[in-house]
Amino acid sequence: AGPGKPSTVNNRQIKPSVLREEEVSFPRGGASLLTPLEHKQIQIEATRDVLFEQNNSKKAKEGLGDEEDSSEIRTTSEQQSSARKKPKSRRRNGEAKGAKEYTGVRIEGLSYKRLVPGSIVLGQVSQINEHDVALALPNNLTGYIPSISISEKITSRIEAIIASDNDEISSVGGSMEQKDIDLKALFTVGQYLRAYVKSTSDEPSYSGAKSKRHIQLSIDPRQANVGLSKSEMVVSNMVQASVASVEDHGLVLDLGLGDKSLKGFMSSKEVGHNVDHTTIEEGAVFLCMVTGLSSNGGIVKLSADTQKAGNVKKTNFLANAPTVDAFLPGTAVEFLVADVTPTGVAGKVMGMIDVTADLMHSGASNHNQNNERKFEIGSKVKGRIICTFPTVEPRKLGMSLLDHVLSLTTKSAAPGKASQPSVEELPLSTIVEAAKVAKVEPGVGLFVDCGPTGARGFVHISRVADGKIETLSETTGAYKLGSTHRARVTGYNAMDGLFLLSMEQKILDQPFLRIEDVQVGSVVKGKIEKLIVNETGVRGVLVNLAEGITGLVPETHLADIHLQHPEKKFKEGMSVTGRVLSRDLIKRQLRLTLKKTLVNTEDAVWSKYEDIAPGSRSPGTLVNVLPTGTVVQFYGNVRAFLPVSEMSEAYIQEPKQHFRTGQVVNVHAISIDPEHQKMLVSCRDPTAFSVAQEAALKDLKAGDIVNGVVIEKSINDIVVELQESKLKAIITRGHLADGSEQKSASTMKVIRVGQKLKDLLVLDKNEKKRFITLTNKPSMVKAANAGHLLTRFEDVRQGERVEGFVKNITSSGVFVQFGGGLTGLLLKRHLPEDTIQLPDFGMRREQSISTMVISVDHQQKRFLLSLQDMEESKPMPSSTKEGFSADRAVTNAVDDEMGGIDDLQIGKLTKAKITSVKDTQINVQLADNIQGRIDVSQLFDSWDDIKDRKHPTRNFTPKQILPVRILGVHDARNHRFLPVSHRTGRTPVFELSAKPIDQKTSALEILTLDQVQVGSNWVAYVNNISDECIWVNLSPNVRGRVRLMDVSDDISLLNDLKGNFPIGSALKVHVTGVDLNSSRLDLSARSANSSGLLSFESLSKGMVVPGRITKVTERQLMIQLSDTVSGPVNLIDLADDYSQANPTTHSKNEIVRVCVTDVDTPNKRLTLSTRPSRVLNSSLPVKDPEISTISQLKVNDVVRGFVKSVADNGVFVTLGANITAYIRISDLSDSYIKDWKNHFQVDQLVKGKVIAVDPLLNHLQMSLKASVIDKNYTPPITFNDIKKGQVVTGKVRKVEDFGVFIVVDGSSNVSGLCHRSEMADHGVDDVKKLYDEGDVVKAKVLKVDLEKRRINFGLKASYVQQDDGKESDADSDDEDLEAMEGVDINGAHSEDDMDGVDGGIDLGKIQDIDENREIVQALDDDSTELQAVLPKTEFAGLSTGGFDWTGGLFDQDDQRNRSEPDDETPEMPRKKKKKKPEIKVDRTGDLDAHGPQSVADFERLLLGQPDSSYLWLRYMAFQLQLSEVLKAREIAERAIRSINIREEVEKMNVWIALLNLENTYGSDETVEEVFKRACQYNDPQEIHERLISIYIQSGKTEKADELFQAMIKKFSQAPKVWINYATFLFDTLASPDRARALLPRAMQSLPQYAHLELTSKFAQLEFRSPNGDPERGRTIFEGLLDTFPKRLDLWNVLLDLEIKQGDKEQVRRLFGRVTSSKLKSRKAKFFFKRWLDYEEKQGDKKSIENVKARAAEYVRQQEAEQADH
C-alpha cells in the first residue's frame, strides 16, 4: 500500500491524503508530505509484507487481511461485497501461484464518465476535417484533435499565419510557416495515435435533442508521452513523436520529453510500406516503436512501420520494463491472466499492474467466442494497452485483445482473418432489412449480424426501441437469440470494429441521419425552425429537415418574386417543400430554395459540369447582373455566364432594366468547359430559327447578291433583314461605300430604318452563330456581278487583278480580305515608295482596294498581292512639287553632308541648331534658309529622362546643335505635319524629332491616333488650358484632352492649374477613350485604380469624390463629377454649421471634395454634400445634423433650417433633402408683426422647435416663438408690469433739452421720460452734454400714469444707491460664491450713475481740506469693498475670480473718465470757487481718484498698499492693455513675493490671475508649471477648482475633464468634488451616462454619513440639468424616501423639483403621500399650508377644497388619537 491508498487501521477508515496528486520528488526543507497517520499505515503494511513472505501463508492476520482486501479495487459494494475466489487451475512451473491469491479486479471498459482530463487513450483516425481530426476511441467514443494540439511545430506555423494575417503580409510564396495547414497531408484515415484527454464537455443541441458530448484530445508528444523518460526508452516500447525535420536519409523526431538532448531518428526504410519520407511535412505525428538506442544513448531509433510493430507473435511486445511508467496506451504487452468472465478478462503485467479487457475488446462480443474456454487462468496472453484510468487506485490499464488492434491495422485488413466489410460497403444511414440477433447482453444491448455482408453490429439497449427497455433476454421476448429485426446503420467505430445500429422506429422513419445523406438537387420537406431577422428585415429562413439537420433559405430564394413582408407568409413550425441548392460538408451547411419554379421543375439538375450536355435545359438563378451579361447559379458550385447577346432575340442595351438578382431564368447550355469550370448559356429560343430559315442560310453563299430592309441602326453598323428568307445580316459603316471615310459616314447618315437596300453583296456567313456579313461597296458588287470576286482559294489566279478591302494593317504589310473570309497579304515592299513612310501606309481599315495577285502558295493556301501597278498609288512626279527646285542649294547648312533641299526626306538623319526655346517647342535651323521645329514631345524617350517636368525645354539653350530626324513638313494651319511630298510655300518648316531613340533605329515609326489603345500609358505635354480640360500632345500629330478632375490625384493642385501645370509641362497619362471618327482622345493623369470615369451606375451612397464647381448661386453649388454626371450641393449640405453655409465663398471652376448623399439612377439625379463630417472625418462636431427622414425628428426637438418659401398662410422651412417644415403665422413670433412677410426671405436661416410630427402624412410643423424654443424664456415687460418705485435698466432712446426718453430693457418698447430735474442730485444745464442716444442707464420709476400710459423716470444717484442698498441687505444672507461669477472689478455702474468706483465723490462740491480727507477715506473704503468682493468664503460652484484678462474690463472706467466734462467745475455756484486752491493741493495727493494712468502711478500706489491684490491685478491688466504679456507675468511674480504671507486670500487672488493669464496667453506647459507652484503655496483643492473654472469659461472642456478626473482621485473624500464633476458632465459635456457612473464610485470613496446628501444631489441633477432624466431622478428619490421616510428635507427638495417640472398631478400625489405619513402637528401644518399655497396659485376651487378637507381629516384623526390616550 502507498501513501495515497485508502487503508484501515483498527477497523477505522482513513481518508486518502489530499496531497497525493501533488507529490513532489524533493519536498522543501526535506520534510515529508505524509501525515503521521499515513506513516503509521505504511509501517503496518510493511510488517504484513514481511510476514507474508516469511510464512508464505495463504492468509495473513485478520487485520492485515482486511488491509489486503481493501487495497484491491472492487466493482461496487452492491455487486461484489466479498472477493469471489476462483478454483485452482493446473500450474506450470508455479505460474498460477500469484493468480491463486488474486481476489478479483473489476472488469470495466472505457466510458465517457470514466474518461477524465489526464486520461491517455489509443485511437484510430476516422475523419480528417479542415480544422480538426476525429479519432475513434474504444467503446464507441470519438474524440477531436484541434489543429493547435498536434505538435509544437504545427502550433508555431499557425501562430505565424495569424501574425502574417495581422500584419497584412501575403502568405503566397512565403516560407513553410506561412502556408495554410492541410491536415490531410499530416494524417491518414486508419492511423493509430496515442491521445491525451484535455477536456470533456456537453455541447447544447439547438434542436431540443440531447446534448452532444465533446471530447477534446491532444496528440502533442509533450502530453501524449507524459511520464516517460530516457530510462523508459526500451526496445518494443511505443512512443509518440513529431517530425522536427526531414533529412536525406530519414526523419529527425521530437519526443516531447523533458530531456531536450534526447532526439529520435527514423530511417526512411522505417517510415512505412510505400511511403516516401520526403513528402512528410514537419510537425506530423507518428506512434512509433523503439527499435534501439545509439551508441551514446542520445538518439532513440524508431519505426512507424505498422507491419513491423503489429507483429507481436514472438517479439515487438513489452514483457518487462524498468518502471511502470513505460506502460502507456499503444504498447503491446504480455500479461498473466488472473480472472476470466463472460464479459471480459483481467490480469497483471509484471505482477504489479492490473489490466482488464472489457466485453468489446476481449472478443466476448463475438457469439462464437467463449472467454472462459479461450483464456485459461494463469496463462500468458498478448494484448495492446488502449487506455488508462487516472482516478483508479491502484493503477489499472485498459487492454484490447482484438486482432486488428494488436496488429495496428483496420479490422477489414486484420492478418489471418477473413476480409470484413468496411464502412464503404455498408454506408452510414443504410437500412438493414434483416439484422439477426447473435448475442444478448441483458443490461447492455444486442450484437447482431447485418445480413449477407457478414458485418457485425451492436445495438445499444437505448436504441432497441422507441420506448425504454429495462432488460433483454436471450430466451424470451421479441429480441431473443436468432430473431431478426429491421435496423439502420448509425455509425462505425474502427477501434471496436463494430457497426452501430438503431432499431428505433423514429430513426428508421427519419429521412436523413446526417448531412451527407442529403443530395444536392433533391426535393426535401421540412418545418420552419426560425426566421433570421436583422435591422433590414427578414434575411432568411432556417428549415429543419431532420433531427440535427437544418438548411438555410436565403432571402432571394424565399419565393419567385421579391417579398416585401416575408414574415407574413412564413411562420415558425410551418411545413414547406424545397430543393437543396448546395451542400458544404466542411462547414456542415445546407442551402435550400423555396422558389416554386425550381422546386417543381422536371428539368435535369445541373450539379456537376461533367453531367451537362450542350443543348440541355435547366432553370437557374441570377446572382449578379453586369453590363455585359449575367451570372447564373445552378446547384452546387455550378455557375454559367449569360451574355447580353444571348438574353433575348431582341436587342438589349442595359441588362439591369430587364433582369434582377434572384430572378429564375430557363436557359440552355451552349458550351461547357468542365476542366476550367466554365459554361456559357442562352435564353434565346433554339427553336425560333425556322427550318426554312435554316435551309435558306445553308443555301446562301458568299458572293451572292441580295436585297434587304434596314431594321436596326447603330453608330457603326446597320442590321438588314433579307427579303424572302427573313434572315438578319449586318453591314458595317466602312462597307457602305468606296472612297474616303467621310463618304461612308455621309452614306450612313442618309440611311433610315425601314429603307430598302438593293444589290447587297454577301461577304461571309457563320452558320453556327447564324451571322451574315454584307457589303455595299460598288467596286466589290461590280466584281461579283462580273464573276471576278474571290470567294474561294481555288479561284485565286496569279497576275489577276482583284477587288477587296483592307482587313488589317501591321508593320510588315496589309491584309486584304475578299469574299468568304478569304485573305491575302500585301507586303510592305510591294507598296508604293511614297506610302511606306506614311502612318499605316496611308491606308485605313475597310478601305476599298484593288490589287494584283503576284504569287500563290497552293500548299499553304496563301497568296501575295501588290499595288505597284496601280495608277493612283504611283509617287507624285517631282514636277508637281510647287515652290521647289530640284537643284536648289542650301546656305550654311548645319550638317556639312547636306546637299540640297531634296535631300531632306522623311527619316533623314541630320543636325540642327537651336535658334529659340519656347515652352512647347524648340525652333531650329537646318541651314540659313531652312527652318525647323522640334515639338516638346519629340525631345525625350521616357518619363525618367525629363529633369524639369514643369519646364522640360529649359535644359536646352540657343545655338546648341542637336542631332535630329525629319518627320515631315509642319502645317501651321492645323498644327499637324505632312509628308515631305506635300510641301507648300517657298520656305517650308520641317517637323523634326530629337529623341535619342529616333537617332538609333533604322525604321521611323510615327505615332498616329489609331495606334493609341485604351489603357496604354504615355508621356504628354500640356499645350493649352481651358475651363474644363487641359489639352496635351502625345506627338505633333496626336492631341488629347485631360479632364480637370483627371489631371492629378492631389486635388489641392487643381485649384491652380496654370501654376502647377504650366504650358509645356509633362504629365504621365493613360488612355481612357479613343474615338477615331471624331478624332477624340481622352486621357487621365490619375492613378489607374482611381481614374475610372464616374457614371450613375458606378456611384454609390457615401462615396467621397472630387468635383468641379460649374455654377455658383446664393442657394446652391453645381458640382461636375464627370462629363455625364453632375449634381447640386444645397444650403443644408454645405456645412455642419448652417451659419457658415455660404455658397458665394466658393468660385467657379474651384475643385472641391464632395460626398454622394443620394443617387437616383432612374431619374439621373444626384445629391452631394460638402459637410466636413461627410468629406473629412465623421467624428467632427456637427452643430446642425443631417435630417434625411422625418422619423429622425420628434416633438420638442430644436432644429435650424433655411426658409424655402414664404406663402400667404405661413413659412416653409427646409430641414433636410426631402424634409420641409411648415410654420403658421401665429407661430412666427411672440409679438405681433404687422408686415410679417418682410421679416422672412428665401434661404434665411431660422431656428425653431418641432411642435407636431405626422410620419404617415409626412407633415412637420414648427414654431419660431422664443417662448417655445427657450426654456428660460422671460416674456417681455409690458406697460402693466411697470410699478412705481421699481428700478430698471434701459437705453436712452432720444435726447431733448427738457430730458431723455428711456426704453426699458427686455420690454415690448415700453419707454418713458426722465425730466432734466430728475437726472442728477445737482442741477443739469445741458442734457445733451450728459447723455447721448444709446447710453445704458439705470433708472427708478417715479410715476406711472395708467390713463395716459406715461412713465416718469428718475436718474439721480441717490435713487439708485438707495435701492441698491436695500437689495444688498435683502440678499446678503443668501449670497453665495456663484453670484460673484463675472464681477467687474471696476464696478458695474454706467456712466450715468454719477458716482462710480472712483469713490462716489463729486469734486465740484469739495469745500475744504477736511473734505479732502474724506476722499482718502472714501478711496480706502472703496478698496476695502473691492477686496470684500474677492472670494473669501467657500465656493458653492467654480469660479475664476471674475477677472477678464483681455483688458477690456478697464475700458469702461477709462472711457467714463474721459467722457466726464471738464467744465463742470466752473458751472458750480460761485461761492465754492474760493476753496479751489485747497482742492488743487489735495488732488495731487489723490491722483488715483480717477485711477492710475501710468506705470509710475501704479508703482507709487503699490508703495502704500503692497498687500492689495486688487491693485496688483489692475497693474497686470494695465500691462496687458499695452500687449506687454511678459511684464504682466513679472508683475504677478512680484505680487506673490511682495504680499505678506498672512494675506492668504490676497495671494490666492494673484495666483488665480496668473493662471488666467497663462491660460489666455501662455501654453499648456506654462499653465502646468504655474498650477503646480500654486498647489504648493495654496489649498490644492481650491486651486484645482479655480483652474477647472478657468478651463470651462475659456471653452477648454477636455482639459477641465482631465483635471476633474485627477481631482476625484486626489480629493475623493470631498463630496463637493464629486458633485461638481457630475454637474460638469451633465451641463457642460452633456454626458449624463458618465455622470451617473460617478455615483457608485463616489459612494465607495466617501464615508457612510455622506451618502444621503450625495445621492440627493445626484438626483437633483437629473431634474435640473437639461440633459438629465427626471424619471430617473424620481426613482433615486423614491429609494431615499423608502430608506429615510422621516427625512422631511428630502420631501421638501423633491416637492420643489416637481413643482418646477410643472406636472400638477405628480405634485399633488407627492403632497398627498407626505401628508398621509405620520407627521407631528407642526410639520403637518407646514406641508398642508404649502400645499394650499400651491393650489391657490396653480389649482382651482375644487383642488383648494380638497386640501382643506384633507387637513380637516388630519385634525380629526389627531384629536381622536389624543382622546384614545
Side-chain angles (χ1 to χ4, degrees), residues 673-692:
D673 184 359
E675 182 179 356
H676 298 94
Q677 294 191 344
K678 291 183 179 180
M679 181 167 56
L680 203 65
V681 295
S682 173
C683 284
R684 301 175 68 174
D685 187 0
T687 63
F689 204 68
S690 64
V691 177

Side-chain angles (χ1 to χ4, degrees), residues 1291-1571:
K1291 292 183 179 64
V1292 176
R1293 181 171 61 85
K1294 190 176 182 181
V1295 181
E1296 299 290 348
D1297 293 336
F1298 53 87
V1300 295
F1301 290 91
I1302 301 170
V1303 178
V1304 179
D1305 287 344
S1307 68
S1308 55
N1309 295 325
V1310 176
S1311 63
L1313 172 66
C1314 176
H1315 193 267
R1316 185 173 61 181
S1317 61
E1318 297 295 333
M1319 285 185 179
D1321 292 322
H1322 56 83
V1324 177
D1325 295 331
D1326 191 353
V1327 177
K1328 294 183 179 180
K1329 287 184 178 181
L1330 194 60
Y1331 292 102
D1332 291 325
E1333 290 184 10
D1335 286 349
V1336 178
V1337 295
K1338 182 184 285 187
K1340 184 175 183 178
V1341 179
L1342 301 180
K1343 182 180 179 182
V1344 179
D1345 191 344
L1346 297 176
E1347 294 181 359
K1348 297 182 180 180
R1349 300 187 68 82
R1350 291 179 181 176
I1351 303 174
N1352 291 346
F1353 291 108
L1355 293 175
K1356 290 182 179 181
S1358 58
Y1359 292 158
V1360 179
Q1361 289 177 354
Q1362 181 181 1
D1363 188 81
D1364 287 346
K1366 293 178 181 178
E1367 291 179 359
S1368 177
D1369 293 339
D1371 298 336
S1372 59
D1373 295 336
D1374 299 329
E1375 194 170 327
D1376 62 4
L1377 189 61
E1378 289 182 275
M1380 300 310 300
E1381 294 273 315
V1383 171
D1384 187 347
I1385 62 174
N1386 285 330
H1389 306 289
S1390 67
E1391 299 173 3
D1392 309 302
D1393 291 339
M1394 304 304 294
D1395 299 322
V1397 181
D1398 302 324
I1401 305 299
D1402 185 359
L1403 298 180
K1405 295 185 179 181
I1406 296 176
Q1407 298 184 10
D1408 51 24
I1409 294 177
D1410 294 335
E1411 292 183 359
N1412 292 334
R1413 292 174 183 161
E1414 294 177 4
I1415 296 174
V1416 179
Q1417 184 63 38
L1419 286 172
D1420 292 341
D1421 293 341
D1422 182 64
S1423 178
T1424 303
E1425 291 176 4
L1426 286 170
Q1427 290 178 15
V1429 169
L1430 297 175
K1432 291 185 180 180
T1433 58
E1434 182 180 350
F1435 276 81
L1438 299 175
S1439 173
T1440 62
F1443 298 103
D1444 180 4
W1445 294 114
T1446 61
L1449 293 175
F1450 299 93
D1451 294 341
Q1452 297 179 4
D1453 192 49
D1454 295 339
Q1455 291 174 2
R1456 182 171 64 250
N1457 293 333
R1458 290 194 294 268
S1459 65
E1460 287 182 354
D1462 295 333
D1463 55 349
E1464 232 179 293
T1465 303
E1467 295 178 2
M1468 297 301 169
R1470 294 188 179 273
K1471 61 180 179 179
K1472 296 180 181 179
K1473 287 185 179 180
K1474 59 184 178 180
K1475 299 292 183 181
K1476 272 187 179 180
E1478 295 176 0
I1479 294 172
K1480 288 181 180 179
V1481 173
D1482 280 317
R1483 283 186 66 184
T1484 59
D1486 299 317
L1487 185 62
D1488 59 320
H1490 295 283
Q1493 303 296 317
S1494 64
V1495 172
D1497 291 344
F1498 279 108
E1499 293 292 345
R1500 179 179 57 77
L1501 290 175
L1502 287 172
L1503 289 175
Q1505 301 179 35
D1507 294 336
S1508 172
S1509 61
Y1510 167 69
L1511 197 53
W1512 286 106
L1513 299 188
R1514 290 197 65 185
Y1515 196 4
M1516 291 172 64
F1518 173 75
Q1519 293 292 354
L1520 290 177
Q1521 283 181 310
L1522 303 177
S1523 300
E1524 296 287 352
V1525 179
L1526 292 177
K1527 290 184 178 180
R1529 287 195 183 100
E1530 293 174 0
I1531 292 169
E1533 296 293 342
R1534 278 182 59 197
I1536 293 170
R1537 293 192 302 268
S1538 302
I1539 297 176
N1540 194 298
I1541 193 172
R1542 299 184 185 89
E1543 302 292 340
E1544 295 179 358
V1545 175
E1546 302 296 326
K1547 276 186 175 289
M1548 170 73 78
N1549 292 336
V1550 178
W1551 280 111
I1552 300 306
L1554 185 56
L1555 280 172
N1556 217 332
L1557 183 144
E1558 295 298 346
N1559 180 63
T1560 306
Y1561 299 100
S1563 62
D1564 292 343
E1565 291 76 15
T1566 58
V1567 172
E1568 184 68 21
E1569 180 186 356
V1570 172
F1571 172 66

